[in-house]
Amino acid sequence: MERMNPRLKAYYDELVRDMPSSAALGVLSEADFARVVYIDPEAVSPGAGDSPGSPLHSWTEVNWTSGTAYLQKRGTTETLPTFLSPGAEPILMGAYGEGERPVLQTFWSEGGERAAIHMGTRGNITVRDMHVRAPNIACAIRLGFGGNITLFNNRLENTDRAVRGHSAGTGFRLIGNLIHNTERSGVWLQYHNADPNEVEIAWNHIFDVNTRWEDPYVPETIAAGDCVIINGSTHVHIHHNVFDRTLTGNKFSLIVNRYGASTTLVRGLIEHNYLTSPRHAGDGGAALYLEQASGWIVRYNVFDGDPVERRLRAIYNRSDDLAIYGNLFLRVGRITSLNPTTRIYHNVFHEPLEIVSEGGNSIVRNNIIDNHGGGFLAGASVFESNLLAVDPADGGGAGNIVGDALFVDVPKRDFRLSAGSPAINAGMRVPDISIVTDRLGMPIPQGAAPDIGAHEYAVVVEGAPTIPARVAARPM
């Protein structure tokens, strides 16, 4: 049974209720293919594979043909003698019937970069609704040079890495998957060229990774796993995921950086995710690590730390021109920014330890600092204004306020503003980036000026509500 944080599971279950259908997301199904082949490892009388009543008995009997959907019966398990390597494209690998995702597993053991499903040079492949396990080899699914790979609604677990892409081709989508119980990273992608390579990672729940780490400490040289690591992609959109590192230490929930001198990260958007910091160990860690990028936006996320070990970083930034706005930082240690310029706007910091700028400039505006004592700003070149802080020692810039933000319900993690909050209409219009809505979609401003914090306050008039319906259901 997987080790899962029940509270974050409930959060993810609610998150995916808002996920568009697979058709709306453009994920292919068997209806998009002219030919369908059925596979039932438990069939008493295997057949030609052309109907559910006459299925093949094994994936090893498949004759790979372009334009075909290959479907394994739900509720069945097939143990492969080695691995699968699709021999044609475009194809779909999926499921038919009723019940749980079909299990495709291998206990084969061989060194190198072997995987249960190895794409090789093939692209234009969709894998959906499968449960893949590979405990003795490198990964469950490996991408090759082929592009346009989609992994949708799979469960990938019990392996070294769930997904590995080395020299991966352009166009990779990881959507709605459950990834857990990996010895190292959940997802590891590496791109070697400067060609545009779109990566979308969305609505996934990734947890219990880096299981080589054990209490009280295992060094990073042994336990070097992250939830997701992306090297060298030029276009990245990461949204609506739960990245949970509460079970193990070292490393990061999400790390995105450049690979070599030939690649430059030119565009990235990280939004609406829930990220936890790893448990503290000698090598430390952070929820998010950005390196050698420019022009990234990190918005509308929740960064959740440990209530005791708050020294763990929420963000460790070595990228230029980073915008951080509309986020909730809960009991996390710090934001560390080493390069210019980091803009930190309209966030809530609840019981943080500090925010650090160690190089370049950090511009800090319209944030609520609810830390009940302790340092807020340290380091060099920090420019701040229009902050609401509980502790008078926090900040000292123009427009700053000392007082209670009057959150709706802190124990329930509802950081919206109550009527009478001193944060209402106390912010400033930031001139350098366009922030038009708060984290729940409320237009900014609702009054004479923007509110301080991650939520814009609005009065709900009977019969004409101004707050989006989803606010009440998910106040974070």
Side-chain angles (χ1 to χ4, degrees):
M1 185 67 181
E2 70 270 10
R3 300 188 301 167
M4 183 184 295
N5 184 315
R7 179 176 58 82
L8 294 188
K9 180 184 184 302
Y11 181 89
Y12 179 74
D13 289 344
E14 185 176 354
L15 191 71
V16 297
R17 279 197 283 270
D18 290 338
M19 183 175 73
S21 67
S22 60
L25 290 168
V27 179
L28 299 180
S29 70
E30 63 269 25
D32 296 297
F33 291 82
R35 181 171 178 260
V36 179
V37 172
Y38 299 90
I39 303 161
D40 181 0
E42 300 176 4
V44 176
S45 300
D50 54 359
S51 71
S54 181
L56 298 179
H57 191 253
S58 170
W59 284 92
T60 62
E61 299 172 2
V62 164
N63 180 20
W64 299 102
T65 305
S66 177
T68 303
Y70 299 90
L71 309 180
Q72 181 178 338
K73 187 176 181 179
R74 288 181 176 272
T76 65
T77 298
E78 175 161 3
T79 301
L80 298 169
T82 55
F83 67 98
L84 281 182
S85 184
E89 57 178 294
I91 65 163
L92 177 143
M93 300 174 65
Y96 75 95
E98 302 293 332
E100 296 293 323
R101 298 180 184 95
V103 176
L104 189 62
Q105 64 185 13
T106 180
F107 297 103
W108 179 52
S109 179
E110 182 176 316
E113 297 299 329
R114 296 296 189 184
I117 301 175
H118 196 304
M119 303 298 185
T121 61
R122 302 293 181 179
N124 300 297
I125 296 174
T126 299
V127 181
R128 57 175 297 165
D129 308 320
M130 300 290 291
H131 182 172
V132 185
R133 296 192 291 236
N136 299 322
I137 50 179
C139 49
I141 297 177
R142 185 182 178 191
L143 316 179
F145 289 97
N148 298 317
I149 304 292
T150 298
L151 307 182
F152 174 79
N153 192 38
N154 301 287
R155 180 173 177 176
L156 310 174
E157 51 103 7
N158 193 14
T159 187
D160 185 57
R161 295 181 176 102
V163 180
R164 179 175 172 87
H166 192 275
S167 303
T170 185
F172 173 63
R173 304 179 75 199
L174 184 78
I175 302 178
N177 299 276
L178 185 68
I179 295 175
H180 63 98
N181 188 22
T182 63
E183 291 189 11
R184 288 185 284 183
S185 297
V187 178
W188 191 98
L189 302 176
Q190 186 161 289
Y191 297 87
H192 286 274
N193 57 66
D195 294 334
N197 38 70
E198 300 277 352
V199 173
E200 181 182 15
I201 297 177
W203 288 290
N204 303 284
H205 188 185
I206 305 178
F207 63 97
D208 198 14
V209 301
N210 202 26
T211 58
R212 292 182 180 183
W213 190 92
E214 298 178 355
D215 282 318
Y217 168 63
V218 176
E220 184 179 345
T221 53
I222 297 174
D226 312 288
C227 284
V228 174
I229 176 170
I230 304 174
N231 295 315
S233 178
T234 58
H235 298 74
V236 177
H237 189 194
I238 301 171
H239 59 97
H240 296 94
N241 302 281
V242 173
F243 298 140
D244 180 12
R245 289 301 312 278
T246 57
L247 291 174
T248 59
N250 292 347
K251 303 289 284 178
F252 311 98
S253 286
L254 174 61
I255 173 171
V256 188
N257 57 31
R258 191 177 73 167
Y259 180 82
S262 63
T263 56
T264 303
L265 289 156
V266 296
R267 180 167 63 86
L269 178 59
I270 299 171
E271 60 180 346
H272 299 291
N273 302 286
Y274 198 115
L275 306 94
T276 70
S277 297
R279 294 175 59 184
H280 180 71
D283 297 323
L288 172 62
Y289 177 29
L290 294 174
E291 182 173 10
Q292 296 177 315
S294 180
W296 279 67
I297 295 175
V298 178
R299 65 184 183 185
Y300 310 141
N301 304 284
V302 179
F303 292 85
D304 198 349
D306 185 276
V308 177
E309 299 286 359
R310 295 202 308 273
R311 53 189 161 174
L312 290 178
R313 294 176 175 91
I315 300 174
Y316 190 86
N317 175 50
R318 296 177 61 90
S319 67
D320 298 335
D321 192 25
L322 171 65
I324 302 171
Y325 63 86
N327 303 282
L328 302 181
F329 295 92
L330 312 180
R331 302 184 308 273
V332 292
R334 63 180 65 175
I335 294 175
T336 297
S337 182
L338 301 177
N339 292 348
T341 292
T342 301
R343 292 165 289 181
I344 305 173
Y345 299 158
H346 284 288
N347 303 284
V348 170
F349 294 88
H350 176 62
E351 298 184 0
L353 187 62
E354 59 188 346
I355 301 173
V356 180
S357 175
E358 298 181 30
N361 300 326
S362 288
I363 306 172
V364 184
R365 292 170 172 157
N366 296 342
N367 299 284
I368 294 176
I369 317 300
D370 177 26
N371 66 349
H372 308 293
F376 168 47
L377 297 175
S381 302
V382 176
F383 305 92
E384 43 142 330
S385 63
N386 297 82
L387 309 178
L388 173 60
V390 171
D391 193 318
D394 293 333
N400 288 5
I401 303 170
V402 175
D404 188 338
L406 298 181
F407 293 126
V408 170
D409 195 331
V410 171
K412 293 183 178 179
R413 300 180 171 218
D414 189 341
F415 291 93
R416 292 175 294 160
L417 303 174
S418 297
S421 169
I424 297 172
N425 295 330
M428 65 174 292
R429 296 176 186 267
V430 294
D432 46 350
I433 58 175
S434 176
I435 303 177
V436 296
T437 62
D438 72 2
R439 62 176 292 106
L440 298 175
M442 179 70 67
I444 296 175
Q446 287 292 302
D451 298 343
I452 297 175
H455 300 89
E456 188 76 4
Y457 176 80
V459 176
V460 178
V461 178
E462 186 175 354
T466 58
I467 298 178
R470 60 176 293 187
V471 170
R474 190 181 299 112
M476 286 200 300

